[in-house]
Amino acid sequence: MKTQKFLRWCLPAGFLLAVAALALAVWSYGYRQALDSLAERSAADLALASDRVSTQLQVYQELAVLTAEHPALADLAAPEAQAGAADLLRSVADKTAALDVFFAAADGNVLAAADGVTGASVAQQDYFIRAMQGALGTGHGVLQPDGKRAYFYAAPAFAPDGRVRGALVVVADVEDVEQTWRGSLPAVFFTDESGEVFIANRSELLFWQRGAEGQSPSVTGREFYAGHEIWTLQGSPYLPARALHLSVGLPVIGMTGEILVEVAPARRIAVLQAAALAAVCLALGAMLFIVMERRRTLAEANAVLESRVEARTRALSAANLQLRREVREREEAEAALKRAQEELVQAGKLSALGQMSAGISHELNQPLMAIQQYAENGAAFLERGKAARTGENLGRISDMAVRMARIIKNLRAFARNESEPMGQVDLVQVISAAAELTAPRLKAEQVDLRWQPGDYPAPVYAWGGEVRLTQVFVNLINNAADAMQGQVEKVISISVVTGPRLQVRVQDSGPGIKEPEKMFEPFYSTKVVGSSEGMGLGLSISYGLVQSFGGNIRGTNTGGGAVFTVELEPWSDAGQKDDAA
């Protein structure tokens, strides 16, 4: 009796532990995917801001180069020539919004200037020294006494004999450059070689230097998760407490662009996914526990009743005893059959629900993140009274909802062995889309993807569905990347072979397939139990999708890795007509 009670409570406890482990794995996976999407979007924002700053400063660079050879600056020995040159430079500065434009002789003395913000001599300035060497000089600094931040471009002016006779210097107002993008993006800033912030869209970040004592904000912690650097910040209400940090070198202006993006939305998405899965599992577990308890109570009552009946019918004849034994055996057989059928139906429901939950968590993560971002942008534009931009974001949210509905439709079709109408699909375009989707992860894990769409100048059309076929190649690429973790050399090669049946070969340099006969079974995985790398559904889902297109997929070992071959039917006008009929 004690053993039965122990088992009664041990099984629910084990089930709860399993649900907790599964929820943790889903959270980790969802958080990593959300960070990948956030990093991709943030990298685009950082590139946009960097291009904007570089482009605006380049205007002053071109101004310096073009003005250096102006005839009015050819001979400034006479005071009258210097006064005329000053008028010219003042006109140029007024028209271009430059802080100052001046011409300095080879000894560094300023001969003519629009405003004279740098003083009478620039002989010791690095940008002037560089210009005297015959190259374009650049530099930055803070002007005194007004404290304005300036960026300098010094273009050399050459004498007829080829010697450098002086330099034309354009002083750009950095604050004027910032005005066009301040507050329009997450926290973006540009640091010089010493690590000090010189340009930023947040005023509290100006002249902030990472690691300096007594500065606010301060970086209290740095961690790396799934290849992403996450900072913990304190001391500023306008910066996120935990932020994704990205950086990019800008040698054109001699600075490094950096961006800080809030990671709390990514954590919330991961928590919601894990909570939803845990809730479904707990609900199913509770129902199963109630059914088992009811069956146990009925079994105990039946046992008591049978013992009483047996005591009262012991005096019956041997014939009646034999008949009762046969009746009881038949009833037990029928009861066993009924229980087996119920358990089989329940197992089928659990398996289908498990596949659907895994598919939803795998496929809906990016649209959910996009909907959230567009909703936040729409709210911000609505507060600013920009109805048109708000409408654009609402339209994008609608598009994401349509995309999610299409994904759910595809998942339901896969689960019920249905398929959307097939049509003409450009195989090269589909593989390129899959390569783009997996590019951030492959770059983070230093995986070399060898795919050359330029080798196929003409489209390679196949029968299939574009969205589901893209999912097949995304699964194969991710599966190959998982197999090569821990290796020094990581190479994935993709090639297309045309013929009576199209073949796409995805080959990796990993350890190969451990059990080829099981690789397409659902929930089969060679990863450590409880890890967040996957649930063993990728190859199984890919196998079902390729089968629905009338194709085939197989995997073999090559001795230096594994190769998966996807066979598809080529598209043709005749085949299209036959399918329509």
Side-chain angles (χ1 to χ4, degrees):
M1 183 63 69
K2 292 183 179 180
T3 302
Q4 293 180 351
K5 290 183 178 180
F6 175 78
L7 290 176
R8 285 179 57 193
W9 295 108
C10 184
L11 290 176
F15 177 78
L16 291 177
L17 290 176
V19 171
L22 181 60
L24 180 61
V26 171
W27 177 89
S28 179
Y29 179 81
Y31 187 39
R32 188 178 73 253
Q33 294 293 320
L35 283 179
D36 290 343
S37 177
L38 184 63
E40 183 178 356
R41 187 168 58 253
S42 301
D45 291 340
L46 178 57
L48 178 63
S50 301
D51 291 343
R52 187 178 299 174
V53 171
S54 299
T55 301
Q56 290 179 284
L57 290 177
Q58 191 175 6
V59 173
Y60 297 100
Q61 172 188 333
E62 296 172 354
L63 175 63
V65 173
L66 294 175
T67 311
E69 301 299 334
H70 196 280
L73 304 177
D75 185 6
L76 299 180
E80 295 81 7
Q82 294 178 2
D87 292 339
L88 170 66
L89 298 179
R90 191 175 298 110
S91 175
V92 171
D94 292 340
K95 293 178 181 179
T96 59
L99 284 177
D100 196 6
V101 182
F102 63 89
F103 185 89
D107 58 0
N109 292 324
V110 177
L111 300 181
D115 196 15
V117 298
T118 59
S121 175
V122 292
Q124 303 302 320
Q125 300 298 326
D126 292 339
Y127 59 84
F128 179 77
I129 295 174
R130 178 65 173 167
M132 289 300 96
Q133 296 172 354
L136 179 68
T138 61
H140 64 277
V142 179
L143 300 177
Q144 300 298 335
D146 55 4
K148 287 187 176 182
R149 289 168 292 132
Y151 199 92
F152 302 90
Y153 283 104
F158 296 93
D161 59 0
R163 292 181 302 167
V164 180
R165 59 182 179 83
L168 189 285
V169 181
V170 177
V171 184
D173 188 355
V174 173
E175 184 176 357
D176 183 68
V177 174
E178 290 175 344
Q179 293 299 325
T180 60
W181 56 281
R182 178 171 292 174
S184 62
L185 294 170
V188 179
F189 52 94
F190 299 85
T191 58
D192 55 20
E193 294 179 354
S194 65
E196 184 178 64
V197 177
F198 191 72
I199 306 174
N201 66 346
R202 300 289 190 276
S203 58
E204 64 270 17
L205 289 174
L206 290 177
F207 307 114
W208 174 76
Q209 192 168 13
R210 192 185 317 161
E213 293 289 338
Q215 284 194 343
S216 180
S218 61
V219 181
T220 59
R222 290 195 310 166
E223 61 181 90
F224 288 88
Y225 188 88
H228 301 291
E229 183 180 10
I230 299 177
W231 284 9
T232 302
L233 301 170
Q234 289 183 352
S236 175
Y238 304 103
L239 295 176
R242 285 176 59 83
L244 176 66
H245 173 255
L246 298 175
S247 63
V248 61
L250 300 175
V252 175
I253 62 175
M255 295 187 180
T256 300
E258 303 182 50
I259 188 171
L260 295 173
V261 186
E262 175 70 68
V263 298
R267 295 175 65 89
R268 285 195 295 269
I269 290 295
V271 168
L272 288 175
Q273 291 176 343
L277 180 63
V280 172
C281 292
L282 289 176
L284 291 175
M287 294 173 58
L288 184 60
F289 181 78
I290 292 173
V291 171
M292 292 178 63
E293 284 295 305
R294 184 171 297 176
R295 288 176 57 189
R296 185 187 60 80
T297 302
L298 292 176
E300 292 177 354
N302 287 335
V304 173
L305 180 59
E306 287 178 0
S307 63
R308 291 178 181 178
V309 171
E310 184 179 359
R312 293 179 181 180
T313 58
R314 195 171 297 164
L316 295 176
S317 62
N320 290 335
L321 182 61
Q322 181 64 26
L323 179 61
R324 185 170 62 251
R325 185 180 298 112
E326 292 176 356
V327 171
R328 185 168 63 250
E329 291 175 354
R330 180 170 297 180
E331 290 176 350
E332 291 176 354
E334 291 176 353
L337 178 60
K338 184 177 180 180
R339 288 196 301 270
Q341 291 174 344
E342 292 175 352
E343 291 173 355
L344 183 60
V345 171
Q346 185 66 19
K349 291 180 180 179
L350 291 175
S351 175
L353 184 57
Q355 291 183 5
M356 191 184 336
S357 300
I360 292 174
S361 67
H362 183 75
E363 295 293 337
L364 297 185
N365 182 57
Q366 290 186 352
L368 285 174
M369 284 295 297
I371 287 176
Q372 182 182 9
Q373 183 66 38
Y374 289 144
E376 292 176 355
N377 292 345
F381 287 133
L382 188 61
E383 291 177 357
R384 300 175 186 175
K386 296 182 179 182
R389 299 298 299 276
T390 303
E392 292 178 4
N393 280 269
L394 292 177
R396 292 171 180 170
I397 292 175
S398 177
D399 294 338
M400 290 297 103
V402 172
R403 178 184 174 187
M404 291 169 64
R406 186 172 68 253
I407 293 173
I408 294 174
K409 174 184 176 182
N410 290 336
L411 288 174
R412 184 169 64 247
F414 174 73
R416 296 181 181 177
N417 201 19
E418 299 175 350
S419 60
E420 63 181 2
M422 294 190 299
Q424 177 184 357
V425 177
D426 186 354
L427 202 53
V428 175
Q429 182 179 357
V430 166
I431 299 174
S432 298
E436 292 176 357
L437 290 173
T438 56
R441 179 199 172 175
L442 298 184
K443 181 179 180 182
E445 296 182 5
Q446 297 181 349
V447 178
D448 182 14
L449 179 61
R450 297 178 180 176
W451 161 243
Q452 300 295 334
D455 294 342
Y456 311 94
V460 180
Y461 293 121
W463 280 102
E466 182 176 358
V467 175
R468 293 179 293 164
L469 196 55
T470 303
Q471 178 186 354
V472 169
F473 293 112
V474 168
N475 289 342
L476 292 178
I477 295 173
N478 284 333
N479 190 69
D482 291 340
M484 295 185 293
Q485 288 186 356
Q487 293 188 181
V488 176
E489 183 180 4
K490 304 176 182 179
V491 179
I492 300 176
S493 301
I494 303 178
S495 60
V496 178
V497 179
T498 58
R501 282 174 68 88
L502 299 176
Q503 291 185 351
V504 181
R505 297 176 180 174
V506 181
Q507 183 172 354
D508 63 64
S509 60
I513 306 169
K514 186 176 181 180
E515 296 177 288
E517 68 280 1
K518 294 183 178 180
M519 60 184 173
F520 294 117
E521 293 180 5
F523 300 104
Y524 169 75
S525 176
T526 59
K527 305 176 184 67
V528 178
V529 176
S531 69
S532 61
E533 296 298 329
M535 293 175 285
L537 286 172
L539 290 179
S540 177
I541 292 176
S542 300
Y543 183 83
L545 292 176
V546 174
Q547 290 285 334
S548 68
F549 301 149
N552 186 31
I553 180 173
R554 63 181 183 273
T556 57
N557 291 321
T558 62
V563 58
F564 285 85
T565 303
V566 179
E567 295 184 353
L568 297 169
E569 292 290 340
W571 178 87
S572 64
D573 292 334
Q576 184 182 20
K577 295 176 181 178
D578 295 340
D579 185 74

